[in-house]
Amino acid sequence: MTKRRLLASLGAALGWMPFAASVPSAAQPQAKAPKSLRLYVFDCGSIKGLDPAIFHFKKEDLAGVDFIVPCYLIAHPKGTLLWDVGVIPDSAFQPDGAPVTQGISTVTRTLKSQLAAIGYTPADITYLAHSHYHSDHTANSNDFAGATWLVQQAERDAMFAEKPAGIIQQASFSALRNSKTVLLHGEDFDVFGDGSVIIKSAPGHTPGHQVLFLKLKKTGPLLVAGDLYHYPEERFTDKTPTFEFNHDQSLASRAAMEAFLKKSGAQLWIEHDRATFLKLKKAPAYYE
Ligand SMILES: [Zn+2]
């Protein structure tokens, strides 16, 4: 519970409403449901020193090898969806808030502080979804175990397998085992029922990899592509990473999504692509 809510509910319980109304504006803002769809982009870190060979590229073939790790909040009049939750958990930060490096990953800000800055706490998150289970997308999952988890059956099975595949941190999402869960089986999932936020299955990178389609009023249609691609240079090639779960399935998913992009006119955001990320508005600014 936020301080303001605690104060408000205390005030209400004590029949002391003026107190709740007079909480100073310096208190954490508390977001109201927006009138129309919004998309916030958060900085959830970066990954440096990747070997381009694992993507079947030479360094000189890529504009940039380093990854960005974004997280996204979709705020809809009927609720919220948090999409991908980072590479290093907020709990790794020391009280001084200094940047944290683990291996080749670095984070400079916690996800929860970025949510708080726009008025959201983990309790305000209605739905949690990951593009896929790789550990650079799941770090803060346990903080959102109170949300309803939207996951492909094949992905969930792989996540909780006794001998999981690589690039997985089961501890980062162990609490989701008991979360309220909507299991998807490859069908489009219309999160809020009005066609504005749709999860689309795009397997191959992992067994239940998925992407997010948004219909934003001003920005227009947008596909947040997870790891369908890691670099723009991967588009229209048959290159997938060495650690791909199923290369052929990935190429089929890419073909389906390229056709969907054409049909829908949506723009494509490759999550890890630095050039894409640098151009984006970051929270507290938002797309609508
Ligand atoms: Zn991945």
Side-chain angles (χ1 to χ4, degrees), residues 206-270:
T206 58
H209 180 273
Q210 54 192 9
V211 298
L212 180 65
F213 176 64
L214 301 174
K215 264 191 197 162
L216 291 153
K217 265 193 186 140
K218 289 188 185 162
T219 308
L222 166 66
L223 192 69
V224 181
D227 283 11
L228 184 70
Y229 303 105
H230 304 76
Y231 303 112
E233 292 87 347
E234 264 178 313
R235 271 182 99 179
F236 313 115
T237 72
D238 61 357
K239 291 176 201 264
T240 63
T242 50
F243 55 88
E244 204 77 342
F245 164 70
N246 185 325
H247 171 80
D248 292 341
Q249 203 178 33
S250 288
L251 294 188
S253 288
R254 287 177 179 183
M257 288 307 124
E258 290 294 344
F260 176 73
L261 287 169
K262 258 194 181 159
K263 194 181 87 182
S264 64
Q267 52 176 309
L268 173 72
W269 287 3
I270 297 173

Short mmCIF file of all heavy atoms in Angstrom, two decimals, residues 206-270:
data_model
loop_
_atom_site.label_atom_id
_atom_site.label_comp_id
_atom_site.label_asym_id
_atom_site.label_seq_id
_atom_site.Cartn_x
_atom_site.Cartn_y
_atom_site.Cartn_z
N THR A 206 11.69 -19.05 -28.04
CA THR A 206 11.41 -20.01 -26.96
C THR A 206 10.10 -20.71 -27.34
O THR A 206 9.42 -20.27 -28.28
CB THR A 206 11.24 -19.29 -25.59
OG1 THR A 206 10.17 -18.35 -25.71
CG2 THR A 206 12.52 -18.59 -25.15
N PRO A 207 9.73 -21.76 -26.63
CA PRO A 207 8.53 -22.52 -27.05
C PRO A 207 7.25 -21.70 -27.09
O PRO A 207 6.35 -21.98 -27.88
CB PRO A 207 8.43 -23.63 -26.00
CG PRO A 207 9.83 -23.80 -25.48
CD PRO A 207 10.45 -22.43 -25.53
N GLY A 208 7.17 -20.68 -26.20
CA GLY A 208 5.93 -19.90 -26.15
C GLY A 208 6.21 -18.40 -26.25
O GLY A 208 5.53 -17.60 -25.60
N HIS A 209 7.18 -18.04 -27.08
CA HIS A 209 7.49 -16.62 -27.27
C HIS A 209 6.25 -15.91 -27.81
O HIS A 209 5.50 -16.46 -28.62
CB HIS A 209 8.66 -16.49 -28.25
CG HIS A 209 9.07 -15.08 -28.53
ND1 HIS A 209 8.47 -14.32 -29.51
CD2 HIS A 209 10.01 -14.28 -27.96
CE1 HIS A 209 9.04 -13.11 -29.52
NE2 HIS A 209 9.97 -13.07 -28.59
N GLN A 210 6.04 -14.67 -27.36
CA GLN A 210 4.87 -13.92 -27.81
C GLN A 210 5.23 -12.45 -28.00
O GLN A 210 6.25 -11.98 -27.50
CB GLN A 210 3.71 -14.09 -26.82
CG GLN A 210 4.04 -13.75 -25.38
CD GLN A 210 2.97 -14.20 -24.39
OE1 GLN A 210 2.02 -14.92 -24.74
NE2 GLN A 210 3.08 -13.76 -23.14
N VAL A 211 4.40 -11.76 -28.76
CA VAL A 211 4.62 -10.34 -29.05
C VAL A 211 3.36 -9.57 -28.70
O VAL A 211 2.31 -10.17 -28.45
CB VAL A 211 4.99 -10.12 -30.55
CG1 VAL A 211 6.30 -10.83 -30.88
CG2 VAL A 211 3.88 -10.58 -31.48
N LEU A 212 3.49 -8.25 -28.65
CA LEU A 212 2.39 -7.41 -28.16
C LEU A 212 1.98 -6.41 -29.23
O LEU A 212 2.80 -5.61 -29.69
CB LEU A 212 2.87 -6.67 -26.90
CG LEU A 212 1.87 -5.75 -26.23
CD1 LEU A 212 0.68 -6.54 -25.67
CD2 LEU A 212 2.56 -4.98 -25.09
N PHE A 213 0.72 -6.46 -29.60
CA PHE A 213 0.18 -5.51 -30.59
C PHE A 213 -0.69 -4.49 -29.87
O PHE A 213 -1.57 -4.85 -29.09
CB PHE A 213 -0.65 -6.27 -31.63
CG PHE A 213 -1.33 -5.36 -32.63
CD1 PHE A 213 -0.59 -4.58 -33.50
CD2 PHE A 213 -2.72 -5.30 -32.70
CE1 PHE A 213 -1.21 -3.74 -34.43
CE2 PHE A 213 -3.35 -4.47 -33.62
CZ PHE A 213 -2.59 -3.70 -34.48
N LEU A 214 -0.40 -3.22 -30.14
CA LEU A 214 -1.17 -2.14 -29.51
C LEU A 214 -1.77 -1.24 -30.58
O LEU A 214 -1.13 -0.96 -31.59
CB LEU A 214 -0.23 -1.28 -28.63
CG LEU A 214 0.51 -2.01 -27.51
CD1 LEU A 214 1.50 -1.06 -26.84
CD2 LEU A 214 -0.46 -2.57 -26.49
N LYS A 215 -3.01 -0.82 -30.32
CA LYS A 215 -3.64 0.17 -31.19
C LYS A 215 -3.75 1.46 -30.40
O LYS A 215 -4.66 1.63 -29.60
CB LYS A 215 -5.05 -0.31 -31.58
CG LYS A 215 -5.09 -1.03 -32.91
CD LYS A 215 -6.55 -1.22 -33.31
CE LYS A 215 -6.67 -2.27 -34.38
NZ LYS A 215 -8.05 -2.76 -34.49
N LEU A 216 -2.79 2.35 -30.63
CA LEU A 216 -2.76 3.62 -29.89
C LEU A 216 -3.41 4.70 -30.74
O LEU A 216 -3.16 4.79 -31.94
CB LEU A 216 -1.30 3.97 -29.57
CG LEU A 216 -0.64 3.04 -28.54
CD1 LEU A 216 0.87 2.97 -28.74
CD2 LEU A 216 -0.97 3.50 -27.13
N LYS A 217 -4.22 5.54 -30.08
CA LYS A 217 -5.01 6.54 -30.82
C LYS A 217 -4.17 7.49 -31.64
O LYS A 217 -4.44 7.74 -32.80
CB LYS A 217 -5.87 7.34 -29.84
CG LYS A 217 -7.26 6.77 -29.73
CD LYS A 217 -8.20 7.73 -29.01
CE LYS A 217 -9.53 7.03 -28.79
NZ LYS A 217 -10.11 7.32 -27.48
N LYS A 218 -3.14 8.06 -31.03
CA LYS A 218 -2.32 9.05 -31.74
C LYS A 218 -1.13 8.40 -32.44
O LYS A 218 -0.76 8.81 -33.53
CB LYS A 218 -1.81 10.12 -30.76
CG LYS A 218 -2.91 11.03 -30.26
CD LYS A 218 -2.35 12.19 -29.44
CE LYS A 218 -3.48 13.01 -28.85
NZ LYS A 218 -3.01 13.84 -27.74
N THR A 219 -0.52 7.43 -31.78
CA THR A 219 0.69 6.80 -32.31
C THR A 219 0.38 5.84 -33.45
O THR A 219 1.20 5.63 -34.34
CB THR A 219 1.43 6.05 -31.18
OG1 THR A 219 1.59 6.95 -30.09
CG2 THR A 219 2.78 5.53 -31.62
N GLY A 220 -0.82 5.25 -33.38
CA GLY A 220 -1.20 4.26 -34.39
C GLY A 220 -0.83 2.85 -33.95
O GLY A 220 -0.42 2.64 -32.80
N PRO A 221 -0.95 1.90 -34.86
CA PRO A 221 -0.68 0.50 -34.49
C PRO A 221 0.81 0.25 -34.30
O PRO A 221 1.64 0.82 -35.00
CB PRO A 221 -1.24 -0.30 -35.67
CG PRO A 221 -1.24 0.65 -36.82
CD PRO A 221 -1.41 2.03 -36.26
N LEU A 222 1.12 -0.60 -33.33
CA LEU A 222 2.50 -0.83 -32.93
C LEU A 222 2.68 -2.29 -32.51
O LEU A 222 1.83 -2.84 -31.80
CB LEU A 222 2.82 0.09 -31.73
CG LEU A 222 4.08 -0.19 -30.92
CD1 LEU A 222 5.33 0.04 -31.76
CD2 LEU A 222 4.10 0.69 -29.67
N LEU A 223 3.76 -2.89 -32.97
CA LEU A 223 4.08 -4.24 -32.54
C LEU A 223 5.36 -4.20 -31.71
O LEU A 223 6.43 -3.84 -32.21
CB LEU A 223 4.28 -5.16 -33.75
CG LEU A 223 4.33 -6.66 -33.45
CD1 LEU A 223 2.96 -7.20 -33.00
CD2 LEU A 223 4.81 -7.45 -34.67
N VAL A 224 5.23 -4.53 -30.42
CA VAL A 224 6.39 -4.67 -29.53
C VAL A 224 6.83 -6.13 -29.65
O VAL A 224 6.09 -7.04 -29.26
CB VAL A 224 6.03 -4.29 -28.08
CG1 VAL A 224 7.25 -4.42 -27.18
CG2 VAL A 224 5.46 -2.88 -28.02
N ALA A 225 8.03 -6.33 -30.22
CA ALA A 225 8.32 -7.63 -30.84
C ALA A 225 9.10 -8.60 -29.97
O ALA A 225 9.50 -9.66 -30.46
CB ALA A 225 9.06 -7.41 -32.15
N GLY A 226 9.31 -8.28 -28.69
CA GLY A 226 10.08 -9.22 -27.88
C GLY A 226 11.41 -9.52 -28.53
O GLY A 226 12.09 -8.63 -29.03
N ASP A 227 11.76 -10.79 -28.58
CA ASP A 227 13.01 -11.21 -29.23
C ASP A 227 12.72 -11.94 -30.54
O ASP A 227 13.47 -12.83 -30.95
CB ASP A 227 13.84 -12.11 -28.31
CG ASP A 227 14.56 -11.30 -27.23
OD1 ASP A 227 14.26 -10.10 -27.08
OD2 ASP A 227 15.42 -11.88 -26.53
N LEU A 228 11.63 -11.55 -31.20
CA LEU A 228 11.39 -12.05 -32.56
C LEU A 228 12.64 -11.72 -33.39
O LEU A 228 13.07 -12.50 -34.23
CB LEU A 228 10.15 -11.36 -33.13
CG LEU A 228 9.67 -11.81 -34.50
CD1 LEU A 228 9.08 -13.22 -34.44
CD2 LEU A 228 8.62 -10.83 -35.06
N TYR A 229 13.16 -10.52 -33.13
CA TYR A 229 14.47 -10.09 -33.65
C TYR A 229 15.23 -9.45 -32.50
O TYR A 229 14.63 -8.92 -31.57
CB TYR A 229 14.32 -9.03 -34.74
CG TYR A 229 13.47 -9.42 -35.92
CD1 TYR A 229 12.18 -8.91 -36.07
CD2 TYR A 229 13.97 -10.28 -36.90
CE1 TYR A 229 11.40 -9.26 -37.17
CE2 TYR A 229 13.19 -10.62 -38.00
CZ TYR A 229 11.91 -10.12 -38.14
OH TYR A 229 11.14 -10.45 -39.21
N HIS A 230 16.56 -9.48 -32.60
CA HIS A 230 17.40 -8.77 -31.63
C HIS A 230 17.99 -7.51 -32.23
O HIS A 230 18.28 -6.54 -31.54
CB HIS A 230 18.53 -9.68 -31.15
CG HIS A 230 18.02 -10.96 -30.57
ND1 HIS A 230 17.55 -12.00 -31.34
CD2 HIS A 230 17.85 -11.34 -29.29
CE1 HIS A 230 17.13 -12.98 -30.56
NE2 HIS A 230 17.30 -12.61 -29.31
N TYR A 231 18.21 -7.58 -33.54
CA TYR A 231 18.80 -6.46 -34.29
C TYR A 231 17.99 -6.24 -35.56
O TYR A 231 17.49 -7.20 -36.15
CB TYR A 231 20.24 -6.81 -34.71
CG TYR A 231 21.16 -7.18 -33.57
CD1 TYR A 231 21.63 -8.48 -33.42
CD2 TYR A 231 21.56 -6.21 -32.64
CE1 TYR A 231 22.48 -8.81 -32.38
CE2 TYR A 231 22.41 -6.54 -31.60
CZ TYR A 231 22.87 -7.84 -31.47
OH TYR A 231 23.71 -8.17 -30.43
N PRO A 232 17.90 -5.00 -36.02
CA PRO A 232 17.20 -4.75 -37.29
C PRO A 232 17.84 -5.53 -38.44
O PRO A 232 17.15 -5.94 -39.37
CB PRO A 232 17.37 -3.25 -37.52
CG PRO A 232 17.88 -2.67 -36.26
CD PRO A 232 18.43 -3.77 -35.41
N GLU A 233 19.15 -5.78 -38.34
CA GLU A 233 19.86 -6.48 -39.42
C GLU A 233 19.42 -7.93 -39.57
O GLU A 233 19.72 -8.58 -40.56
CB GLU A 233 21.38 -6.42 -39.18
CG GLU A 233 21.99 -5.03 -39.31
CD GLU A 233 21.95 -4.22 -38.01
OE1 GLU A 233 21.22 -4.63 -37.06
OE2 GLU A 233 22.63 -3.18 -37.95
N GLU A 234 18.72 -8.45 -38.55
CA GLU A 234 18.22 -9.83 -38.64
C GLU A 234 16.99 -9.96 -39.54
O GLU A 234 16.70 -11.05 -40.01
CB GLU A 234 17.79 -10.31 -37.24
CG GLU A 234 18.80 -11.10 -36.47
CD GLU A 234 18.25 -11.44 -35.09
OE1 GLU A 234 17.71 -10.55 -34.39
OE2 GLU A 234 18.36 -12.61 -34.71
N ARG A 235 16.30 -8.83 -39.72
CA ARG A 235 15.06 -8.88 -40.52
C ARG A 235 15.38 -9.33 -41.94
O ARG A 235 16.37 -8.91 -42.52
CB ARG A 235 14.38 -7.51 -40.56
CG ARG A 235 13.43 -7.29 -39.43
CD ARG A 235 12.75 -5.94 -39.57
NE ARG A 235 11.41 -6.03 -40.15
CZ ARG A 235 10.62 -4.98 -40.36
NH1 ARG A 235 11.03 -3.77 -40.02
NH2 ARG A 235 9.41 -5.13 -40.89
N PHE A 236 14.52 -10.12 -42.48
CA PHE A 236 14.62 -10.58 -43.87
C PHE A 236 15.90 -11.39 -44.11
O PHE A 236 16.43 -11.42 -45.22
CB PHE A 236 14.51 -9.40 -44.84
CG PHE A 236 13.36 -8.49 -44.50
CD1 PHE A 236 13.58 -7.17 -44.11
CD2 PHE A 236 12.06 -8.95 -44.55
CE1 PHE A 236 12.52 -6.33 -43.77
CE2 PHE A 236 10.98 -8.11 -44.21
CZ PHE A 236 11.22 -6.80 -43.82
N THR A 237 16.43 -12.01 -43.05
CA THR A 237 17.50 -13.00 -43.21
C THR A 237 16.98 -14.31 -42.61
O THR A 237 15.90 -14.33 -42.02
CB THR A 237 18.78 -12.61 -42.43
OG1 THR A 237 18.53 -12.81 -41.02
CG2 THR A 237 19.20 -11.18 -42.69
N ASP A 238 17.76 -15.37 -42.75
CA ASP A 238 17.38 -16.60 -42.05
C ASP A 238 18.26 -16.82 -40.83
O ASP A 238 18.41 -17.92 -40.34
CB ASP A 238 17.43 -17.81 -43.01
CG ASP A 238 18.84 -18.03 -43.56
OD1 ASP A 238 19.75 -17.22 -43.24
OD2 ASP A 238 19.03 -19.01 -44.30
N LYS A 239 18.83 -15.71 -40.31
CA LYS A 239 19.71 -15.82 -39.15
C LYS A 239 18.89 -15.80 -37.86
O LYS A 239 18.12 -14.86 -37.64
CB LYS A 239 20.70 -14.66 -39.11
CG LYS A 239 21.76 -14.69 -40.20
CD LYS A 239 22.61 -13.43 -40.09
CE LYS A 239 23.33 -13.12 -41.37
NZ LYS A 239 24.69 -13.61 -41.41
N THR A 240 19.06 -16.81 -37.04
CA THR A 240 18.54 -16.76 -35.67
C THR A 240 19.71 -17.09 -34.74
O THR A 240 20.70 -17.68 -35.18
CB THR A 240 17.39 -17.77 -35.44
OG1 THR A 240 17.89 -19.10 -35.62
CG2 THR A 240 16.24 -17.53 -36.40
N PRO A 241 19.60 -16.72 -33.47
CA PRO A 241 20.73 -16.96 -32.56
C PRO A 241 21.05 -18.44 -32.41
O PRO A 241 20.19 -19.30 -32.65
CB PRO A 241 20.24 -16.38 -31.24
CG PRO A 241 19.13 -15.47 -31.58
CD PRO A 241 18.51 -16.00 -32.82
N THR A 242 22.26 -18.71 -31.96
CA THR A 242 22.67 -20.11 -31.74
C THR A 242 21.83 -20.77 -30.66
O THR A 242 21.72 -21.98 -30.62
CB THR A 242 24.15 -20.16 -31.29
OG1 THR A 242 24.31 -19.23 -30.21
CG2 THR A 242 25.10 -19.77 -32.41
N PHE A 243 21.25 -19.96 -29.76
CA PHE A 243 20.50 -20.52 -28.64
C PHE A 243 18.99 -20.56 -28.91
O PHE A 243 18.20 -20.79 -28.00
CB PHE A 243 20.78 -19.73 -27.35
CG PHE A 243 20.53 -18.25 -27.48
CD1 PHE A 243 19.27 -17.71 -27.22
CD2 PHE A 243 21.56 -17.37 -27.87
CE1 PHE A 243 19.03 -16.35 -27.34
CE2 PHE A 243 21.32 -16.01 -27.99
CZ PHE A 243 20.05 -15.49 -27.74
N GLU A 244 18.62 -20.33 -30.17
CA GLU A 244 17.19 -20.36 -30.53
C GLU A 244 16.59 -21.73 -30.19
O GLU A 244 17.21 -22.76 -30.45
CB GLU A 244 17.06 -20.08 -32.04
CG GLU A 244 15.73 -19.51 -32.46
CD GLU A 244 15.58 -18.03 -32.13
OE1 GLU A 244 16.34 -17.51 -31.28
OE2 GLU A 244 14.68 -17.39 -32.70
N PHE A 245 15.37 -21.74 -29.65
CA PHE A 245 14.72 -23.02 -29.33
C PHE A 245 14.41 -23.79 -30.60
O PHE A 245 14.66 -24.99 -30.69
CB PHE A 245 13.43 -22.75 -28.52
CG PHE A 245 12.50 -23.92 -28.45
CD1 PHE A 245 12.84 -25.06 -27.72
CD2 PHE A 245 11.29 -23.91 -29.14
CE1 PHE A 245 11.97 -26.15 -27.68
CE2 PHE A 245 10.43 -24.99 -29.10
CZ PHE A 245 10.77 -26.12 -28.36
N ASN A 246 13.84 -23.11 -31.61
CA ASN A 246 13.47 -23.81 -32.84
C ASN A 246 13.59 -22.84 -34.02
O ASN A 246 12.72 -21.99 -34.23
CB ASN A 246 12.04 -24.36 -32.72
CG ASN A 246 11.63 -25.19 -33.92
OD1 ASN A 246 12.02 -24.90 -35.06
ND2 ASN A 246 10.84 -26.23 -33.68
N HIS A 247 14.67 -22.97 -34.74
CA HIS A 247 15.01 -22.06 -35.84
C HIS A 247 13.87 -21.98 -36.87
O HIS A 247 13.44 -20.87 -37.25
CB HIS A 247 16.30 -22.56 -36.49
CG HIS A 247 16.68 -21.88 -37.77
ND1 HIS A 247 17.30 -20.65 -37.80
CD2 HIS A 247 16.51 -22.26 -39.06
CE1 HIS A 247 17.50 -20.30 -39.07
NE2 HIS A 247 17.04 -21.26 -39.85
N ASP A 248 13.37 -23.13 -37.32
CA ASP A 248 12.33 -23.12 -38.37
C ASP A 248 11.05 -22.46 -37.87
O ASP A 248 10.40 -21.71 -38.60
CB ASP A 248 12.05 -24.55 -38.84
CG ASP A 248 13.24 -25.14 -39.60
OD1 ASP A 248 14.11 -24.36 -40.05
OD2 ASP A 248 13.30 -26.39 -39.72
N GLN A 249 10.73 -22.75 -36.62
CA GLN A 249 9.52 -22.15 -36.03
C GLN A 249 9.69 -20.63 -35.95
O GLN A 249 8.75 -19.87 -36.21
CB GLN A 249 9.32 -22.74 -34.63
CG GLN A 249 7.91 -22.67 -34.12
CD GLN A 249 7.80 -23.32 -32.75
OE1 GLN A 249 8.73 -23.29 -31.95
NE2 GLN A 249 6.65 -23.90 -32.48
N SER A 250 10.90 -20.17 -35.61
CA SER A 250 11.16 -18.73 -35.55
C SER A 250 10.97 -18.08 -36.92
O SER A 250 10.37 -17.01 -37.04
CB SER A 250 12.58 -18.45 -35.07
OG SER A 250 12.69 -18.74 -33.71
N LEU A 251 11.50 -18.74 -37.96
CA LEU A 251 11.36 -18.16 -39.30
C LEU A 251 9.89 -18.11 -39.71
O LEU A 251 9.44 -17.14 -40.33
CB LEU A 251 12.18 -18.97 -40.32
CG LEU A 251 13.71 -18.91 -40.13
CD1 LEU A 251 14.40 -19.60 -41.31
CD2 LEU A 251 14.23 -17.48 -39.97
N ALA A 252 9.13 -19.13 -39.33
CA ALA A 252 7.69 -19.12 -39.63
C ALA A 252 6.98 -18.00 -38.86
O ALA A 252 6.13 -17.29 -39.41
CB ALA A 252 7.08 -20.48 -39.29
N SER A 253 7.36 -17.82 -37.60
CA SER A 253 6.76 -16.73 -36.80
C SER A 253 7.12 -15.37 -37.38
O SER A 253 6.28 -14.46 -37.45
CB SER A 253 7.23 -16.80 -35.35
OG SER A 253 6.64 -17.89 -34.69
N ARG A 254 8.37 -15.23 -37.80
CA ARG A 254 8.79 -13.96 -38.40
C ARG A 254 8.00 -13.68 -39.68
O ARG A 254 7.55 -12.55 -39.89
CB ARG A 254 10.29 -14.00 -38.72
CG ARG A 254 11.16 -13.90 -37.48
CD ARG A 254 12.62 -14.01 -37.86
NE ARG A 254 13.50 -13.90 -36.71
CZ ARG A 254 14.83 -13.91 -36.80
NH1 ARG A 254 15.42 -14.04 -37.98
NH2 ARG A 254 15.57 -13.80 -35.72
N ALA A 255 7.83 -14.71 -40.50
CA ALA A 255 7.07 -14.52 -41.74
C ALA A 255 5.63 -14.10 -41.42
O ALA A 255 5.08 -13.18 -42.05
CB ALA A 255 7.10 -15.80 -42.57
N ALA A 256 5.04 -14.76 -40.43
CA ALA A 256 3.66 -14.42 -40.05
C ALA A 256 3.58 -12.99 -39.52
O ALA A 256 2.65 -12.24 -39.86
CB ALA A 256 3.16 -15.41 -38.99
N MET A 257 4.55 -12.58 -38.72
CA MET A 257 4.53 -11.23 -38.15
C MET A 257 4.84 -10.17 -39.21
O MET A 257 4.27 -9.07 -39.18
CB MET A 257 5.51 -11.13 -36.98
CG MET A 257 5.06 -11.86 -35.74
SD MET A 257 3.39 -11.40 -35.19
CE MET A 257 2.61 -13.00 -35.16
N GLU A 258 5.73 -10.48 -40.16
CA GLU A 258 5.99 -9.52 -41.24
C GLU A 258 4.70 -9.31 -42.06
O GLU A 258 4.38 -8.18 -42.46
CB GLU A 258 7.13 -10.00 -42.13
CG GLU A 258 8.51 -9.96 -41.45
CD GLU A 258 9.01 -8.55 -41.11
OE1 GLU A 258 8.48 -7.56 -41.65
OE2 GLU A 258 9.95 -8.45 -40.29
N ALA A 259 3.97 -10.41 -42.31
CA ALA A 259 2.69 -10.29 -43.03
C ALA A 259 1.70 -9.46 -42.22
O ALA A 259 0.98 -8.61 -42.76
CB ALA A 259 2.13 -11.68 -43.33
N PHE A 260 1.70 -9.70 -40.90
CA PHE A 260 0.80 -8.94 -40.03
C PHE A 260 1.17 -7.45 -40.01
O PHE A 260 0.29 -6.58 -40.02
CB PHE A 260 0.84 -9.52 -38.61
CG PHE A 260 0.02 -8.74 -37.62
CD1 PHE A 260 -1.37 -8.81 -37.65
CD2 PHE A 260 0.62 -7.91 -36.70
CE1 PHE A 260 -2.14 -8.08 -36.76
CE2 PHE A 260 -0.14 -7.17 -35.80
CZ PHE A 260 -1.52 -7.25 -35.83
N LEU A 261 2.46 -7.15 -40.01
CA LEU A 261 2.89 -5.75 -40.02
C LEU A 261 2.39 -5.06 -41.29
O LEU A 261 1.93 -3.91 -41.26
CB LEU A 261 4.42 -5.66 -39.96
CG LEU A 261 5.06 -5.99 -38.61
CD1 LEU A 261 6.58 -6.14 -38.76
CD2 LEU A 261 4.74 -4.93 -37.57
N LYS A 262 2.50 -5.76 -42.40
CA LYS A 262 2.04 -5.20 -43.68
C LYS A 262 0.55 -4.93 -43.64
O LYS A 262 0.08 -3.87 -44.01
CB LYS A 262 2.34 -6.19 -44.81
CG LYS A 262 3.56 -5.82 -45.62
CD LYS A 262 3.62 -6.61 -46.91
CE LYS A 262 4.88 -6.21 -47.66
NZ LYS A 262 5.27 -7.24 -48.62
N LYS A 263 -0.19 -5.94 -43.18
CA LYS A 263 -1.65 -5.87 -43.16
C LYS A 263 -2.14 -4.78 -42.19
O LYS A 263 -3.05 -4.02 -42.50
CB LYS A 263 -2.21 -7.24 -42.75
CG LYS A 263 -3.70 -7.41 -43.01
CD LYS A 263 -4.17 -8.79 -42.54
CE LYS A 263 -4.54 -8.73 -41.07
NZ LYS A 263 -4.95 -9.99 -40.49
N SER A 264 -1.51 -4.71 -41.03
CA SER A 264 -1.99 -3.79 -39.99
C SER A 264 -1.39 -2.40 -40.14
O SER A 264 -1.91 -1.44 -39.57
CB SER A 264 -1.62 -4.34 -38.61
OG SER A 264 -0.20 -4.40 -38.48
N GLY A 265 -0.29 -2.28 -40.87
CA GLY A 265 0.40 -0.99 -40.96
C GLY A 265 1.13 -0.63 -39.68
O GLY A 265 1.50 0.54 -39.48
N ALA A 266 1.33 -1.61 -38.81
CA ALA A 266 1.96 -1.32 -37.51
C ALA A 266 3.45 -1.04 -37.67
O ALA A 266 4.11 -1.60 -38.55
CB ALA A 266 1.76 -2.50 -36.56
N GLN A 267 3.96 -0.19 -36.79
CA GLN A 267 5.41 -0.04 -36.70
C GLN A 267 5.96 -1.15 -35.80
O GLN A 267 5.24 -1.72 -34.98
CB GLN A 267 5.80 1.34 -36.19
CG GLN A 267 5.15 1.79 -34.91
CD GLN A 267 5.68 3.15 -34.44
OE1 GLN A 267 6.87 3.37 -34.33
NE2 GLN A 267 4.76 4.06 -34.17
N LEU A 268 7.22 -1.46 -35.98
CA LEU A 268 7.86 -2.55 -35.26
C LEU A 268 8.90 -1.99 -34.29
O LEU A 268 9.76 -1.21 -34.69
CB LEU A 268 8.56 -3.47 -36.28
CG LEU A 268 9.43 -4.60 -35.72
CD1 LEU A 268 8.59 -5.70 -35.12
CD2 LEU A 268 10.32 -5.17 -36.83
N TRP A 269 8.78 -2.39 -33.04
CA TRP A 269 9.81 -2.05 -32.07
C TRP A 269 10.55 -3.33 -31.69
O TRP A 269 9.96 -4.25 -31.11
CB TRP A 269 9.22 -1.44 -30.80
CG TRP A 269 8.72 -0.03 -30.94
CD1 TRP A 269 8.66 0.72 -32.08
CD2 TRP A 269 8.17 0.78 -29.89
NE1 TRP A 269 8.12 1.95 -31.81
CE2 TRP A 269 7.80 2.02 -30.48
CE3 TRP A 269 7.95 0.60 -28.53
CZ2 TRP A 269 7.23 3.06 -29.72
CZ3 TRP A 269 7.38 1.62 -27.78
CH2 TRP A 269 7.03 2.84 -28.38
N ILE A 270 11.84 -3.39 -32.02
CA ILE A 270 12.69 -4.50 -31.59
C ILE A 270 13.23 -4.12 -30.22
O ILE A 270 13.95 -3.14 -30.07
CB ILE A 270 13.84 -4.73 -32.60
CG1 ILE A 270 13.26 -5.12 -33.97
CG2 ILE A 270 14.81 -5.78 -32.08
CD1 ILE A 270 14.30 -5.20 -35.09
#
